[in-house]
Amino acid sequence: MNRAPDDAHRHARALLDPVHYDYFAGGAGREVALDENERAFRRLALLPRVLRGAASRDTAVTLLGDRSRMPVLVAPTAFHRLAHPEGELATARAAAAAGTVLIASMAATTAIGEITAAARSVRPEAAVWFQLYLQPEPEVTGALVRRAEEAGCTALVVTVDSPVRGRHGRDERHGFHDLPPGLAAENMRDLPGTAPGGAAVRPIAMSSALSWEHVRRLRATTPLPVLLKGVLHPEDARRAVAEGVDGLVVSNHGGRQLDAAPATVEALPRIVEAVAGRLPVLLDGGVRTGCDVAVALALGATAVAVGRPVVWGLAADGERGVRDVLEWFRSDFDQALALCGGARPADLTADLVVRRGGVGSGAW
Ligand SMILES: Cc1cc2nc3c(=O)[nH]c(=O)nc-3n(C[C@H](O)[C@H](O)[C@H](O)COP(=O)(O)O)c2cc1C
Ligand SMILES: CCCCCCC(=O)C(=O)O
Protein backbone atom coordinates (compact mmCIF):
# COMPACT_ATOMS: atom_id res chain seq x y z
CA MET A 1 0.00 0.00 0.00
CA ASN A 2 1.50 3.35 -0.99
CA ARG A 3 1.89 5.74 1.91
CA ALA A 4 0.48 9.15 1.22
CA PRO A 5 2.73 12.10 2.00
CA ASP A 6 0.58 12.98 5.02
CA ASP A 7 1.14 9.55 6.55
CA ALA A 8 4.84 9.78 5.82
CA HIS A 9 4.88 13.19 7.50
CA ARG A 10 3.30 11.75 10.67
CA HIS A 11 5.79 8.88 10.75
CA ALA A 12 8.73 11.17 10.09
CA ARG A 13 7.71 13.52 12.86
CA ALA A 14 7.53 10.65 15.34
CA LEU A 15 10.91 9.24 14.29
CA LEU A 16 13.09 12.31 13.75
CA ASP A 17 15.10 14.17 16.37
CA PRO A 18 12.84 17.23 17.00
CA VAL A 19 15.72 19.57 16.13
CA HIS A 20 16.14 17.94 12.73
CA TYR A 21 12.37 17.71 12.21
CA ASP A 22 12.13 21.46 12.74
CA TYR A 23 15.02 22.09 10.33
CA PHE A 24 13.15 20.23 7.59
CA ALA A 25 9.64 21.46 8.44
CA GLY A 26 10.38 25.07 9.26
CA GLY A 27 10.26 28.26 7.28
CA ALA A 28 11.50 31.80 7.54
CA GLY A 29 10.10 34.54 9.76
CA ARG A 30 6.53 33.92 10.89
CA GLU A 31 6.21 31.09 8.35
CA VAL A 32 3.54 32.97 6.39
CA ALA A 33 4.97 31.99 2.99
CA LEU A 34 5.36 28.40 4.18
CA ASP A 35 1.69 28.17 5.20
CA GLU A 36 0.40 30.09 2.21
CA ASN A 37 2.01 27.75 -0.31
CA GLU A 38 -0.35 24.96 0.74
CA ARG A 39 -3.33 27.19 1.52
CA ALA A 40 -3.27 28.84 -1.90
CA PHE A 41 -3.80 25.45 -3.56
CA ARG A 42 -6.83 24.90 -1.33
CA ARG A 43 -8.32 28.17 -2.56
CA LEU A 44 -8.32 26.86 -6.13
CA ALA A 45 -10.69 24.39 -7.71
CA LEU A 46 -10.75 22.43 -10.95
CA LEU A 47 -13.73 22.46 -13.32
CA PRO A 48 -13.68 18.95 -14.77
CA ARG A 49 -14.48 18.33 -18.44
CA VAL A 50 -16.73 15.37 -19.24
CA LEU A 51 -17.33 12.94 -22.09
CA ARG A 52 -13.95 13.51 -23.67
CA GLY A 53 -13.34 9.82 -24.45
CA ALA A 54 -9.89 9.83 -22.85
CA ALA A 55 -9.67 6.04 -22.70
CA SER A 56 -5.96 5.73 -21.96
CA ARG A 57 -3.71 8.14 -20.13
CA ASP A 58 -0.02 8.97 -20.17
CA THR A 59 1.34 11.06 -17.29
CA ALA A 60 4.88 11.37 -18.71
CA VAL A 61 6.57 14.67 -19.61
CA THR A 62 9.86 15.50 -21.31
CA LEU A 63 11.90 18.29 -19.72
CA LEU A 64 15.00 19.64 -21.43
CA GLY A 65 15.53 16.26 -23.07
CA ASP A 66 14.95 14.17 -19.93
CA ARG A 67 11.84 12.01 -19.76
CA SER A 68 9.98 11.78 -16.49
CA ARG A 69 7.17 9.27 -15.90
CA MET A 70 5.22 12.05 -14.21
CA PRO A 71 5.28 15.85 -14.03
CA VAL A 72 6.48 15.64 -10.41
CA LEU A 73 10.21 16.04 -9.80
CA VAL A 74 12.21 15.80 -6.59
CA ALA A 75 13.09 19.34 -5.43
CA PRO A 76 16.61 19.89 -4.06
CA THR A 77 16.69 19.61 -0.28
CA ALA A 78 19.81 19.64 1.86
CA PHE A 79 21.24 17.19 4.38
CA HIS A 80 19.36 13.94 3.71
CA ARG A 81 21.58 12.00 6.11
CA LEU A 82 19.89 13.91 8.92
CA ALA A 83 16.68 12.17 7.88
CA HIS A 84 18.02 8.66 7.25
CA PRO A 85 21.45 7.00 7.41
CA GLU A 86 21.37 6.20 3.68
CA GLY A 87 20.52 9.83 2.92
CA GLU A 88 20.70 10.96 -0.69
CA LEU A 89 21.65 7.47 -1.91
CA ALA A 90 18.23 6.21 -0.85
CA THR A 91 16.51 9.24 -2.38
CA ALA A 92 18.40 8.79 -5.65
CA ARG A 93 17.53 5.11 -5.96
CA ALA A 94 13.88 5.83 -5.19
CA ALA A 95 13.60 8.70 -7.69
CA ALA A 96 15.20 6.53 -10.36
CA ALA A 97 12.83 3.65 -9.61
CA ALA A 98 9.86 6.01 -9.77
CA GLY A 99 11.11 7.24 -13.14
CA THR A 100 11.40 10.88 -12.21
CA VAL A 101 14.13 13.51 -12.21
CA LEU A 102 16.08 14.09 -9.00
CA ILE A 103 17.36 17.63 -8.48
CA ALA A 104 20.25 16.96 -6.11
CA SER A 105 21.13 19.70 -3.65
CA MET A 106 24.61 21.18 -3.66
CA ALA A 107 24.20 20.97 0.15
CA ALA A 108 23.82 17.19 0.01
CA THR A 109 25.47 15.05 2.63
CA THR A 110 26.61 12.74 -0.20
CA ALA A 111 28.88 13.72 -3.10
CA ILE A 112 27.14 14.23 -6.43
CA GLY A 113 29.11 11.42 -8.15
CA GLU A 114 27.83 8.90 -5.61
CA ILE A 115 24.27 10.21 -6.01
CA THR A 116 24.24 9.78 -9.80
CA ALA A 117 25.87 6.35 -9.47
CA ALA A 118 23.13 5.25 -7.05
CA ALA A 119 20.39 6.51 -9.41
CA ARG A 120 21.97 4.74 -12.39
CA SER A 121 22.42 1.50 -10.48
CA VAL A 122 18.61 1.32 -10.51
CA ARG A 123 17.94 2.78 -13.97
CA PRO A 124 20.87 3.55 -16.28
CA GLU A 125 19.05 6.43 -18.00
CA ALA A 126 17.92 8.02 -14.70
CA ALA A 127 18.18 11.81 -14.86
CA VAL A 128 19.84 13.79 -12.06
CA TRP A 129 20.08 17.58 -12.17
CA PHE A 130 22.46 19.52 -9.92
CA GLN A 131 21.26 22.47 -7.83
CA LEU A 132 23.92 25.13 -7.54
CA TYR A 133 24.48 28.11 -5.28
CA LEU A 134 26.81 30.32 -7.34
CA GLN A 135 29.86 30.91 -5.15
CA PRO A 136 31.62 34.29 -4.99
CA GLU A 137 34.90 32.73 -6.26
CA PRO A 138 34.53 31.74 -9.95
CA GLU A 139 37.03 28.90 -9.55
CA VAL A 140 34.91 27.33 -6.79
CA THR A 141 31.74 27.55 -8.87
CA GLY A 142 33.70 26.18 -11.84
CA ALA A 143 34.92 23.19 -9.82
CA LEU A 144 31.38 22.42 -8.62
CA VAL A 145 30.08 22.59 -12.19
CA ARG A 146 32.85 20.24 -13.41
CA ARG A 147 31.90 17.79 -10.63
CA ALA A 148 28.28 17.87 -11.74
CA GLU A 149 29.26 17.39 -15.39
CA GLU A 150 31.63 14.53 -14.57
CA ALA A 151 28.93 12.89 -12.47
CA GLY A 152 26.67 12.90 -15.54
CA CYS A 153 24.14 15.48 -14.37
CA THR A 154 22.03 16.68 -17.29
CA ALA A 155 21.05 20.19 -16.08
CA LEU A 156 22.07 22.84 -13.56
CA VAL A 157 19.45 24.46 -11.36
CA VAL A 158 20.82 27.74 -10.05
CA THR A 159 19.09 28.95 -6.91
CA VAL A 160 18.69 32.72 -7.14
CA ASP A 161 16.39 33.45 -4.20
CA SER A 162 19.12 33.38 -1.57
CA PRO A 163 21.26 36.54 -1.60
CA VAL A 164 21.30 35.97 2.17
CA ARG A 165 19.92 33.09 4.16
CA GLY A 166 16.37 33.35 5.51
CA ARG A 167 16.01 33.58 9.29
CA HIS A 168 14.67 30.30 10.57
CA GLY A 169 13.20 30.87 14.02
CA ARG A 170 12.92 27.17 14.79
CA ASP A 171 16.65 26.62 14.13
CA GLU A 172 17.53 29.70 16.17
CA ARG A 173 15.49 28.47 19.12
CA HIS A 174 17.22 25.08 18.98
CA GLY A 175 20.65 26.60 18.38
CA PHE A 176 20.89 24.41 15.27
CA HIS A 177 23.57 25.94 13.07
CA ASP A 178 25.86 23.06 12.09
CA LEU A 179 25.68 19.48 10.94
CA PRO A 180 26.52 16.96 13.65
CA PRO A 181 30.00 15.38 13.64
CA GLY A 182 30.42 12.83 10.86
CA LEU A 183 28.14 14.65 8.41
CA ALA A 184 29.22 17.31 5.92
CA ALA A 185 28.13 19.02 2.73
CA GLU A 186 30.21 16.57 0.69
CA ASN A 187 30.15 18.52 -2.58
CA MET A 188 32.09 21.27 -0.79
CA ARG A 189 35.02 19.00 0.05
CA ASP A 190 38.48 19.65 -1.43
CA LEU A 191 37.54 22.62 -3.59
CA PRO A 192 40.07 25.14 -4.93
CA GLY A 193 41.28 27.79 -2.52
CA THR A 194 41.18 25.58 0.55
CA ALA A 195 44.23 26.66 2.54
CA PRO A 196 46.71 23.85 3.25
CA GLY A 197 45.84 22.45 6.62
CA GLY A 198 42.54 24.38 6.53
CA ALA A 199 39.07 22.88 6.71
CA ALA A 200 38.62 20.38 3.86
CA VAL A 201 34.92 21.25 3.54
CA ARG A 202 34.22 24.83 2.49
CA PRO A 203 31.14 26.54 3.89
CA ILE A 204 28.44 27.30 1.33
CA ALA A 205 28.40 31.03 0.68
CA MET A 206 25.29 33.00 -0.12
CA SER A 207 26.12 36.24 -1.89
CA SER A 208 24.08 39.36 -2.48
CA ALA A 209 26.69 40.47 -5.05
CA LEU A 210 25.46 37.95 -7.63
CA SER A 211 24.06 39.40 -10.83
CA TRP A 212 23.02 38.42 -14.36
CA GLU A 213 26.70 38.67 -15.26
CA HIS A 214 27.36 35.58 -13.11
CA VAL A 215 24.60 33.67 -14.89
CA ARG A 216 26.10 34.71 -18.24
CA ARG A 217 29.53 33.50 -17.13
CA LEU A 218 28.09 30.22 -15.99
CA ARG A 219 26.35 29.68 -19.31
CA ALA A 220 29.63 30.35 -21.11
CA THR A 221 31.44 27.67 -19.12
CA THR A 222 29.06 24.73 -19.42
CA PRO A 223 27.11 23.00 -22.16
CA LEU A 224 24.48 21.93 -19.62
CA PRO A 225 21.05 23.57 -19.67
CA VAL A 226 20.70 26.17 -16.91
CA LEU A 227 17.46 26.73 -15.00
CA LEU A 228 16.93 29.52 -12.48
CA LYS A 229 15.13 28.53 -9.29
CA GLY A 230 13.36 31.11 -7.18
CA VAL A 231 12.01 33.50 -9.83
CA LEU A 232 8.77 35.21 -8.77
CA HIS A 233 8.78 38.57 -10.60
CA PRO A 234 7.61 38.60 -14.25
CA GLU A 235 10.35 41.10 -15.21
CA ASP A 236 12.99 38.63 -13.99
CA ALA A 237 11.31 35.91 -16.03
CA ARG A 238 11.45 38.09 -19.16
CA ARG A 239 15.10 38.88 -18.45
CA ALA A 240 15.84 35.18 -18.04
CA VAL A 241 14.40 34.53 -21.48
CA ALA A 242 16.50 37.35 -22.95
CA GLU A 243 19.62 35.98 -21.25
CA GLY A 244 19.12 32.59 -22.87
CA VAL A 245 18.31 30.69 -19.67
CA ASP A 246 16.82 27.25 -20.39
CA GLY A 247 14.10 27.03 -17.75
CA LEU A 248 12.61 28.58 -14.62
CA VAL A 249 11.44 27.24 -11.30
CA VAL A 250 8.76 29.41 -9.70
CA SER A 251 9.69 28.94 -6.05
CA ASN A 252 9.84 30.76 -2.74
CA HIS A 253 12.23 28.12 -1.39
CA GLY A 254 9.43 26.37 0.45
CA GLY A 255 8.81 29.53 2.50
CA ARG A 256 12.38 29.49 3.83
CA GLN A 257 13.65 32.78 2.38
CA LEU A 258 11.47 35.91 2.00
CA ASP A 259 8.52 35.40 4.33
CA ALA A 260 6.53 38.06 2.46
CA ALA A 261 6.88 36.17 -0.82
CA PRO A 262 3.59 35.14 -2.42
CA ALA A 263 2.36 31.58 -2.58
CA THR A 264 4.03 30.09 -5.62
CA VAL A 265 0.80 28.99 -7.31
CA GLU A 266 -0.40 32.60 -7.08
CA ALA A 267 2.81 33.89 -8.67
CA LEU A 268 2.75 31.28 -11.44
CA PRO A 269 0.24 32.79 -13.93
CA ARG A 270 2.18 36.05 -14.33
CA ILE A 271 5.44 34.16 -14.88
CA VAL A 272 3.80 31.89 -17.44
CA GLU A 273 2.41 34.96 -19.20
CA ALA A 274 5.81 36.67 -19.22
CA VAL A 275 7.58 33.62 -20.59
CA ALA A 276 4.89 33.00 -23.24
CA GLY A 277 5.92 29.41 -23.93
CA ARG A 278 9.56 30.23 -24.64
CA LEU A 279 10.90 28.21 -21.67
CA PRO A 280 9.64 25.39 -19.49
CA VAL A 281 8.29 26.78 -16.22
CA LEU A 282 8.41 24.53 -13.15
CA LEU A 283 6.84 25.27 -9.79
CA ASP A 284 7.53 24.10 -6.25
CA GLY A 285 6.09 24.95 -2.85
CA GLY A 286 3.13 23.36 -1.11
CA VAL A 287 2.40 20.68 -3.71
CA ARG A 288 0.83 17.90 -1.64
CA THR A 289 -1.70 16.11 -3.87
CA GLY A 290 -2.31 15.08 -7.45
CA CYS A 291 -4.95 17.82 -7.65
CA ASP A 292 -2.28 20.39 -6.71
CA VAL A 293 -0.13 19.05 -9.55
CA ALA A 294 -3.09 19.31 -11.94
CA VAL A 295 -3.84 22.90 -10.88
CA ALA A 296 -0.22 23.96 -11.41
CA LEU A 297 -0.09 22.32 -14.83
CA ALA A 298 -3.42 23.86 -15.82
CA LEU A 299 -2.00 27.28 -14.88
CA GLY A 300 0.92 26.68 -17.24
CA ALA A 301 3.62 24.83 -15.31
CA THR A 302 5.39 22.15 -17.32
CA ALA A 303 6.00 20.19 -14.12
CA VAL A 304 6.20 20.64 -10.36
CA ALA A 305 8.74 19.58 -7.75
CA VAL A 306 8.16 18.38 -4.20
CA GLY A 307 10.54 19.02 -1.31
CA ARG A 308 9.31 18.11 2.18
CA PRO A 309 7.10 15.17 1.14
CA VAL A 310 10.22 13.41 -0.14
CA VAL A 311 12.11 14.15 3.07
CA TRP A 312 9.19 12.72 5.10
CA GLY A 313 9.21 9.57 3.01
CA LEU A 314 12.95 9.23 3.51
CA ALA A 315 12.74 9.72 7.27
CA ALA A 316 9.77 7.36 7.57
CA ASP A 317 11.16 4.43 5.60
CA GLY A 318 14.34 5.22 3.65
CA GLU A 319 14.40 4.36 -0.05
CA ARG A 320 11.08 2.57 0.18
CA GLY A 321 9.45 5.55 1.90
CA VAL A 322 10.58 7.95 -0.84
CA ARG A 323 9.44 5.52 -3.52
CA ASP A 324 6.04 5.19 -1.84
CA VAL A 325 5.58 8.96 -1.73
CA LEU A 326 6.60 9.38 -5.38
CA GLU A 327 4.43 6.49 -6.59
CA TRP A 328 1.54 7.96 -4.61
CA PHE A 329 2.00 11.31 -6.37
CA ARG A 330 1.99 9.55 -9.74
CA SER A 331 -1.20 7.64 -9.07
CA ASP A 332 -2.90 10.60 -7.40
CA PHE A 333 -2.05 12.82 -10.37
CA ASP A 334 -3.25 10.15 -12.79
CA GLN A 335 -6.54 10.04 -10.87
CA ALA A 336 -6.91 13.85 -10.98
CA LEU A 337 -6.12 13.87 -14.71
CA ALA A 338 -8.75 11.21 -15.35
CA LEU A 339 -11.35 13.02 -13.27
CA CYS A 340 -10.69 16.21 -15.24
CA GLY A 341 -11.34 14.28 -18.45
CA GLY A 342 -7.70 14.48 -19.55
CA ALA A 343 -5.48 11.90 -21.25
CA ARG A 344 -2.17 13.69 -20.87
CA PRO A 345 -0.73 16.65 -18.94
CA ALA A 346 -1.24 19.02 -21.89
CA ASP A 347 -5.01 18.49 -21.59
CA LEU A 348 -4.96 20.52 -18.37
CA THR A 349 -5.65 24.08 -19.46
CA ALA A 350 -6.17 27.36 -17.61
CA ASP A 351 -9.94 27.40 -18.21
CA LEU A 352 -10.24 24.46 -15.77
CA VAL A 353 -9.04 26.54 -12.79
CA VAL A 354 -11.38 28.70 -10.73
CA ARG A 355 -11.18 30.26 -7.30
CA ARG A 356 -13.31 28.48 -4.71
CA GLY A 357 -16.47 30.51 -4.30
CA GLY A 358 -15.74 32.20 -7.61
CA VAL A 359 -17.17 29.81 -10.22
CA GLY A 360 -18.55 31.82 -13.10
CA SER A 361 -16.81 35.00 -12.01
CA GLY A 362 -13.90 34.56 -14.41
CA ALA A 363 -11.58 34.74 -11.43
CA TRP A 364 -8.45 33.74 -13.37
C1 LIG B 1 14.84 21.08 4.47
C2 LIG B 1 14.92 21.82 3.17
C3 LIG B 1 16.14 22.01 2.57
C4 LIG B 1 16.22 22.69 1.36
N1 LIG B 1 17.43 22.79 0.75
C5 LIG B 1 17.51 23.42 -0.44
C6 LIG B 1 18.74 23.50 -1.11
O1 LIG B 1 19.76 22.98 -0.67
N2 LIG B 1 18.77 24.18 -2.28
C7 LIG B 1 17.65 24.77 -2.83
O2 LIG B 1 17.73 25.38 -3.88
N3 LIG B 1 16.46 24.66 -2.21
C8 LIG B 1 16.37 24.01 -1.05
N4 LIG B 1 15.16 23.89 -0.44
C9 LIG B 1 13.95 24.39 -1.11
C10 LIG B 1 13.33 23.30 -2.00
O3 LIG B 1 14.12 23.07 -3.12
C11 LIG B 1 11.95 23.66 -2.49
O4 LIG B 1 11.98 24.94 -3.06
C12 LIG B 1 10.86 23.61 -1.41
O5 LIG B 1 11.14 22.61 -0.47
C13 LIG B 1 9.52 23.33 -2.05
O6 LIG B 1 8.51 23.39 -1.11
P1 LIG B 1 7.83 22.11 -0.39
O7 LIG B 1 8.81 21.65 0.62
O8 LIG B 1 6.61 22.72 0.18
O9 LIG B 1 7.54 21.07 -1.45
C14 LIG B 1 15.06 23.21 0.77
C15 LIG B 1 13.82 23.02 1.38
C16 LIG B 1 13.75 22.32 2.57
C17 LIG B 1 12.40 22.11 3.19
C1 LIG C 1 24.51 27.96 4.36
C2 LIG C 1 23.92 26.57 4.39
C3 LIG C 1 23.37 26.20 3.07
C4 LIG C 1 22.37 25.11 3.14
C5 LIG C 1 21.20 25.51 2.37
C6 LIG C 1 20.08 24.57 2.48
C7 LIG C 1 18.83 25.28 2.13
O1 LIG C 1 18.71 25.84 1.05
C8 LIG C 1 17.75 25.31 3.09
O2 LIG C 1 16.70 25.86 2.75
O3 LIG C 1 17.92 24.80 4.22
Side-chain angles (χ1 to χ4, degrees):
M1 181 61 181
N2 287 337
R3 176 182 281 148
D6 289 348
D7 286 348
H9 189 173
R10 272 189 291 278
H11 279 76
R13 187 173 199 153
L15 289 169
L16 282 169
D17 176 329
V19 176
H20 300 158
Y21 172 80
D22 272 345
Y23 165 69
F24 290 124
R30 300 173 73 191
E31 302 192 338
V32 175
L34 171 67
D35 293 343
E36 276 294 301
N37 276 346
E38 286 190 35
R39 281 209 194 115
F41 276 109
R42 289 170 192 246
R43 290 195 289 266
L44 298 174
L46 286 163
L47 284 177
R49 299 299 307 270
V50 297
L51 299 172
R52 293 217 286 190
S56 63
R57 289 181 304 284
D58 181 4
T59 57
V61 289
T62 299
L63 292 158
L64 301 170
D66 286 321
R67 190 171 185 280
S68 175
R69 248 179 98 220
M70 58 177 158
V72 182
L73 280 57
V74 176
T77 49
F79 309 154
H80 284 195
R81 282 185 204 262
L82 284 180
H84 188 275
E86 289 181 27
E88 290 83 1
L89 297 177
T91 311
R93 289 192 292 260
T100 192
V101 177
L102 166 67
I103 310 176
S105 169
M106 175 168 141
T109 39
T110 308
I112 187 61
E114 291 176 47
I115 294 176
T116 52
R120 295 201 176 124
S121 71
V122 172
R123 200 165 51 88
E125 69 281 15
V128 179
W129 297 356
F130 185 71
Q131 177 268 325
L132 179 69
Y133 286 111
L134 291 167
Q135 296 299 286
E137 308 86 345
E139 65 280 11
V140 175
T141 302
L144 287 161
V145 171
R146 295 292 89 74
R147 282 182 184 178
E149 289 171 351
E150 280 161 24
C153 292
T154 48
L156 297 174
V157 178
V158 180
T159 299
V160 292
D161 59 16
S162 304
V164 295
R165 188 140 194 251
R167 293 195 68 176
H168 297 186
R170 300 197 206 197
D171 293 346
E172 287 177 8
R173 281 193 292 281
H174 290 304
F176 179 62
H177 303 298
D178 282 315
L179 286 169
L183 295 187
E186 291 295 337
N187 293 311
M188 301 306 288
R189 195 176 284 285
D190 300 328
L191 286 165
T194 307
V201 180
R202 285 180 75 100
I204 294 174
M206 296 192 172
S207 167
S208 50
L210 295 176
S211 69
W212 289 99
E213 179 55 32
H214 293 85
V215 175
R216 233 170 277 146
R217 252 184 257 150
L218 173 69
R219 285 186 45 78
T221 60
T222 180
L224 292 180
V226 171
L227 298 92
L228 301 185
K229 173 174 181 283
V231 172
L232 292 170
H233 198 297
E235 268 316 308
D236 286 336
R238 275 188 271 275
R239 177 74 184 261
V241 174
E243 295 281 351
V245 164
D246 300 285
L248 296 179
V249 186
V250 174
S251 173
N252 59 23
H253 212 109
R256 294 164 76 84
Q257 287 297 111
L258 178 68
D259 196 28
T264 53
V265 73
E266 291 185 342
L268 177 66
R270 291 179 69 197
I271 301 291
V272 167
E273 190 189 6
V275 163
R278 291 171 290 179
L279 302 178
V281 176
L282 281 63
L283 168 141
D284 71 26
V287 176
R288 298 294 177 263
T289 68
C291 286
D292 296 344
V293 180
V295 165
L297 266 57
L299 291 176
T302 315
V304 302
V306 288
R308 293 180 184 82
V310 167
V311 174
W312 305 145
L314 179 65
D317 203 7
E319 176 181 343
R320 189 188 158 144
V322 176
R323 176 128 190 225
D324 283 351
V325 164
L326 292 174
E327 292 293 351
W328 184 89
F329 268 108
R330 204 200 71 78
S331 77
D332 206 48
F333 171 65
D334 180 60
Q335 170 91 353
L337 182 62
L339 289 170
C340 285
R344 55 194 63 78
D347 293 337
L348 297 164
T349 46
D351 54 296
L352 303 191
V353 183
V354 291
R355 282 191 189 281
R356 290 201 179 277
V359 179
S361 67
W364 281 100

